[in-house]
Amino acid sequence: MNQQELNTVARAMVAPGKGILAADESFPTIKKRFDSIDTESSEENRQLYREMLFTAPEASQYIGGVILFDETLRQSCRDGTPFAKYLAEHGMIPGIKVDKGAKALAGFPGETVTEGLDGLRERLAEYRELGARFAKWRAVIDIAADIPSEFCIHANAHALARYAALCQEADIVPIVEPEVLMDGDHDIDRCESVTNQTLAEVFAQLAAHKVVLEGMVLKPNMVIAGKKSARQASVQEVAEATVRSLTAHVPPAVPGIAFLSGGQSAAEATAHLNAMNQLGDHPWELSFSYGRALQAPALQAWHGKAENYAAGQAAFALRAKLNGLARSGSYEAAMEPAA
Ligand code: 13P
């Protein structure tokens, strides 16, 4: 393990003013996104869409890393340049999703555990050959009346830590993503307590598995009320609760925290990150690793039509820029495009 290299890559992924684009949708997920714009999820369309994002003029100023799906890491720009090479040459570190998805956890109805550890050592070696310098593994914790169970949190944290240790052995920076979902009707306090419980177990398992904190990036949910909750918290409340939870559980040795957007609108995700960075100096970089919140406006602008390619790139570049500004608390709602 090259700890120096791991730390250098981790810091570059969350460099000031920059964040990460999550473009690692699996086949079923990208199909769902393309269905929403009546576009076929063909290999050609997936290549074109990802090329539109990666080559958007100006976006690379605000993007320090891109998470790819297996198929995408093996694809190239239309001029023949492999995506991984293009990204690296433009200052965006290529990364790879390596988990195989959240599967039903036997004996625990309604709960899941993320799979993908079998053969991971060999897959990581190949991905590094293909240019990946970091990886992602997403664990999912759902909130409802009787869940999550302690066992579900433990099983997911254990798998996350095994994944992270294997990544570091292969000189690949692990993005450790324990996502507490915002799908329920729970209030923000419930999200805070489940997030606290989850982060405590994740860091206990990372320590037990001897994961080097300086060589990883944490990708957590924000502390936020469930989508179906009667009371939605204010931007300030979300920012304060999230920073409180992270301060209590994330050691300062972790170089950066890059949030998922989890179903927030693009503008909400930017406003929340901005408010957190306005709360003052934190021991870690507070950044973004958004999928939907970076891509949704671009997907809508493009709509699968060649004549909208430049409009799609402009919509993505704007989202990247606004989130880049939120990294230093310099974003304002007035910067949003008129509806
Ligand atoms: P969202 O920002 O759309 O939640 O996606 C981020 C991600 O990579 C989830 O694993």
Side-chain angles (χ1 to χ4, degrees):
M1 185 196 314
N2 183 339
Q3 292 199 17
Q4 187 59 48
E5 185 194 331
L6 290 171
N7 180 246
T8 302
V9 171
R11 283 187 291 118
M13 287 160 63
V14 292
K18 294 188 183 187
I20 297 166
L21 165 64
D24 59 331
E25 296 82 4
S26 60
F27 292 127
T29 304
I30 195 71
K31 180 175 184 311
K32 203 156 63 172
R33 305 278 182 266
F34 279 11
D35 282 349
S36 76
I37 54 164
D38 296 321
T39 297
E40 188 200 346
S41 180
S42 60
E43 180 176 356
E44 189 185 353
N45 282 337
R46 292 191 295 269
Q47 185 284 335
L48 195 67
Y49 174 64
R50 265 76 180 242
E51 179 169 348
M52 177 184 90
L53 298 177
F54 303 162
T55 63
E58 325 242 306
S60 64
Q61 278 175 258
Y62 310 101
I63 302 293
V66 180
I67 317 174
L68 305 171
F69 181 60
D70 181 272
E71 175 190 63
T72 321
L73 182 59
R74 301 172 195 278
Q75 285 175 329
S76 301
C77 298
R78 282 163 295 168
D79 71 4
T81 312
F83 277 148
K85 181 163 188 272
Y86 178 89
L87 291 170
E89 283 174 358
H90 289 77
M92 298 178 279
I93 303 170
I96 179 77
K97 182 233 295 296
V98 301
D99 69 68
K100 297 208 164 168
K103 305 287 161 62
L105 180 60
F108 292 80
E111 300 195 281
T112 61
V113 65
T114 300
E115 297 187 350
L117 288 168
D118 287 359
L120 181 56
R121 176 177 279 124
E122 292 72 25
R123 287 197 290 135
L124 287 168
E126 190 200 1
Y127 287 143
R128 200 180 143 93
E129 283 292 305
L130 289 168
R133 290 295 173 269
F134 71 91
K136 180 191 107 170
W137 178 290
R138 172 175 177 258
V140 180
I141 307 296
D142 204 355
I143 300 182
D146 301 320
I147 59 170
S149 64
E150 244 174 68
F151 182 81
C152 171
I153 292 175
H154 168 76
N156 276 290
H158 190 271
L160 266 173
R162 278 193 65 197
Y163 140 82
L166 281 163
C167 285
Q168 292 191 336
E169 179 190 87
D171 290 325
I172 288 183
V173 172
I175 291 186
V176 173
E177 179 178 7
E179 174 173 6
V180 176
L181 295 179
M182 58 179 285
D183 293 342
D185 60 5
H186 53 276
D187 62 13
I188 186 171
D189 294 342
R190 182 90 205 287
C191 179
E192 184 169 354
S193 80
V194 173
T195 302
N196 284 338
Q197 199 187 342
T198 301
L199 291 175
E201 181 64 7
V202 166
F203 280 94
Q205 290 299 327
L206 290 171
H209 287 77
K210 302 187 181 175
V211 172
V212 177
L213 298 181
E214 290 82 352
M216 63 163 273
V217 169
L218 179 71
K219 176 164 175 168
N221 53 285
M222 295 183 194
V223 173
I224 191 168
K227 262 186 276 191
K228 291 177 249 159
S229 171
R231 200 186 80 79
Q232 291 299 318
S234 68
V235 170
Q236 200 60 23
E237 283 176 287
V238 170
E240 285 172 10
T242 305
V243 168
R244 187 162 59 229
S245 176
L246 295 171
T247 302
H249 297 286
V250 185
V254 174
I257 296 173
F259 294 100
L260 59 95
S261 61
Q264 302 176 44
S265 73
E268 281 166 353
T270 307
H272 288 146
L273 179 64
N274 190 63
M276 283 186 243
N277 278 309
Q278 282 183 346
L279 287 175
D281 279 341
H282 304 294
W284 355 256
E285 293 292 326
L286 278 188
S287 186
F288 57 91
S289 174
Y290 298 155
R292 284 162 284 180
L294 274 170
Q295 295 184 48
L299 197 63
Q300 285 305 321
W302 174 55
H303 238 90
K305 297 195 167 68
E307 64 267 30
N308 297 334
Y309 193 84
Q313 290 195 314
F316 173 60
L318 177 64
R319 237 31 268 166
K321 178 178 177 180
L322 296 182
N323 285 302
L325 291 171
R327 292 280 283 99
S328 56
S330 321
Y331 158 84
E332 288 166 31
M335 296 169 177
E336 290 294 339

